Amino acid sequence: MAEGGTLPTIYPPSKRVKSEVWKYFGFQKNAEGLLIEDGFPLCKTCGRKVAAKHGNTSNMFAHIRDNHPLQFREIKSGHASSSAGSSSAEAIVQPTVQEAFQRQASYGPSSHRAKEINHAIAYCIAKDMIPIYTVAKPGFLKLMKTTVPLYKVPSQKFFSKTELPKMYNSLKEDVGKLIAQGKWYAATTDLWTSSGGSGHPYISFTIHYLTDWKLQSNCLETQFFPEDHTADNISEFFDNMLQEWGINKEFFVSITTDNATNMKKAFETSDTTTFPGQWFGCFGHNLNLAISKALKIQRVDTAVRSCQHLVQGFSRSWKRRRELRNKQEALNVPQRSLIHDVVTRWGSTQKMLQRFIEQQQAVCAVLATERGAWHLMPKDADIAVIEQVLQILQPLSAFTDALASESRVSLSALRPVLSHIISDILEVKNEDSALTIDLKRVMKSDLESRYSVDAKKVMDLTSFVDPRFKGSFSDDLDATVNCCIEEASKLAEMTTLSEGAAQTEQSSTTPPPTHTHTHPHPPLKNSSKAWPPCSTKSPPQGSREQRSRRVKAA
């Protein structure tokens, strides 16, 4: 390199060359202006001479590779800067940060960045329940190519066989550690069918427990359940699931399911080896069953069917739905569609009836213009029945999901809620019509029959220990108090036994002391003697005169 740190003027070779490397090398000129092509071309970047006789460019490539990696990448990619081969001494322009990142190679499968993105995609699939084949869709691949150009999306098999199982095992380990901190457990389980055309059966199991006085809930299983939904198969699934998670069945105090016969048979049994805890039917399901039974009264059933036919008539005709929207706007009625009732969707019948009453004026206006659809309009007697039914169902609709919670204990509120529904809402009044009286009596009778004597005993006990209710809703307060004392004694006894077992285990593993005390208790502070363990006397305080002097000094 020339003195002063500046590069000499370097010119390209006189002969025509094909190699890209010559864009970064050249020769100097002598005093007469002729090129000094002596077989040692100079590097345009650093000015160093490199041996390259007889047109051999190996040494030149090696020099660029070892000393100038940026230029070497440009040579390999075939995008060398045009300014590199110019005859001027202008330096090669340094690429921008964005260009430098774009020239990097793709993330390796084992790189930290690739693992982060793999985990994020797997989390998105699991959290949002997206089909795994989404990772192979052209739209998703285009999205990832645009946002993370250097990332190559792995195959669908990688996520289904590697990434998602790894995430599941990690989460399962964390949940297992959390569950181990609990002492007593409650559970909820249900059988359900997937939406869409497949209709595959599944069973879910959720466990509830306390850690540091904080209520925890974890769904341990959501499993494909193609077997017959018998009580034996459900019990077998329950046992296998507990065995897999290492949970002792004896520590379950209760389980909540729907009122299906197979569920009741699987868990509501006197055989403690099958399930030792108390079975409870879901309160929302119980209320829905009581309402469904009341809706089967002949007059009510006729009115509900007429409303169903009306809704179906509008759902099958785009013209009627269009005209309904126009009439709603003209009559200043809320622009809402009619609602279908679904057997498995709680409260849907009440919503269907309520929406019809709300849109009655607009619906009648639409049907009045179409003579062939007059039969769809419910009769006046049916409308009167629907209005009476809604007067009872509307107060009950708020209680369907009132006790559904995973963040707070709701069993203690079951007794007060039932008492309010049975004693207040469903209480027969003098002004009630005959139909209203029949509806209330059917629902009240059905609700009262849904809970066994043992279940009511547990409900009274939990309500009694809740400081909000205490003994306000107990049928027999003395019996509830005695039951609470009995359960507290059992719990204290179990705690004593467990502590004793722990001390025994600790003493068996602790080496014996190297010395023994002559007294059963260690000496008191600032005292040379230990007092007898059962002594009720105080330590000597000196003579009466000494005590008097100490009092005066104090």
Side-chain angles (χ1 to χ4, degrees), residues 127-139:
K127 186 67 174 179
D128 298 337
M129 294 184 289
I130 298 175
I132 303 178
Y133 62 74
T134 303
V135 299
K137 291 291 185 179

Side-chain angles (χ1 to χ4, degrees), residues 258-422:
D258 58 18
N259 289 270
T261 305
N262 52 357
M263 286 292 187
K264 294 176 67 175
K265 187 177 179 180
F267 299 106
E268 189 184 28
T269 174
S270 58
D271 186 5
T272 56
T273 59
T274 303
F275 183 74
Q278 175 67 45
W279 173 84
F280 281 97
C282 173
F283 169 75
H285 191 223
N286 289 339
L287 184 59
N288 183 70
L289 290 175
I291 294 174
S292 300
K293 193 171 183 178
L295 294 178
K296 291 181 181 179
I297 297 176
Q298 185 174 359
R299 291 177 59 189
V300 179
D301 184 63
T302 302
V304 171
R305 287 180 182 274
S306 66
C307 189
Q308 291 172 341
H309 293 157
L310 171 69
V311 174
Q312 290 174 3
F314 273 81
S315 64
R316 294 172 182 173
S317 174
W318 162 249
K319 179 182 176 181
R320 290 173 187 155
R321 296 199 302 273
R322 182 191 64 196
E323 292 300 322
L324 177 63
R325 193 175 300 111
N326 295 335
K327 295 298 182 181
Q328 288 171 341
E329 185 176 358
L331 297 171
N332 196 21
V333 176
Q335 296 188 12
R336 300 171 182 169
S337 301
L338 299 179
I339 299 176
H340 285 274
D341 65 333
V342 182
V343 177
T344 57
R345 187 171 298 168
W346 302 344
S348 60
T349 302
Q350 182 259 339
K351 293 178 182 178
M352 178 189 68
L353 299 177
Q354 188 172 2
R355 181 61 55 85
F356 164 69
I357 295 297
E358 176 190 87
Q359 301 293 332
Q360 180 183 355
Q361 187 177 5
V363 169
C364 292
V366 173
L367 296 180
T369 61
E370 186 180 353
R371 186 178 181 84
W374 288 1
H375 67 281
L376 294 176
M377 190 62 195
K379 300 177 182 179
D380 293 341
D382 294 334
I383 296 176
V385 170
I386 291 175
E387 290 176 345
Q388 293 183 58
V389 170
L390 287 176
Q391 288 180 357
I392 301 177
L393 296 188
Q394 284 177 349
L396 295 176
S397 61
F399 293 99
T400 301
D401 298 324
L403 301 182
S405 175
E406 290 185 352
S407 59
R408 56 185 175 84
V409 177
S410 56
L411 181 58
S412 61
L414 180 55
R415 191 60 152 167
V417 169
L418 275 176
S419 177
H420 174 66
I421 292 175
I422 294 174

Side-chain angles (χ1 to χ4, degrees), residues 59 106 121 124 131 194 238 246 258 284 338 365 369 379 503 523 549:
N59 292 339
S106 301
I121 295 176
C124 179
S194 61
F238 176 72
D258 58 18
L338 299 179
T369 61
K379 300 177 182 179
Q503 292 178 358
R549 285 199 296 268

Side-chain angles (χ1 to χ4, degrees), residues 115-173:
K115 291 180 178 179
E116 281 185 338
I117 301 176
N118 292 342
H119 180 81
I121 295 176
Y123 178 84
C124 179
I125 292 173
K127 186 67 174 179
D128 298 337
M129 294 184 289
I130 298 175
I132 303 178
Y133 62 74
T134 303
V135 299
K137 291 291 185 179
F140 181 81
L141 295 177
K142 174 66 175 178
L143 172 65
M144 299 305 298
K145 187 66 177 177
T146 303
T147 54
V148 194
L150 301 181
Y151 173 71
K152 183 178 180 181
V153 181
S155 63
Q156 175 181 341
K157 184 178 180 181
F158 168 79
F159 287 100
S160 61
K161 301 295 184 181
T162 304
E163 193 66 27
L164 286 172
K166 180 175 69 175
M167 180 182 294
Y168 171 79
N169 293 330
S170 176
L171 180 61
K172 182 179 179 180
E173 183 179 356

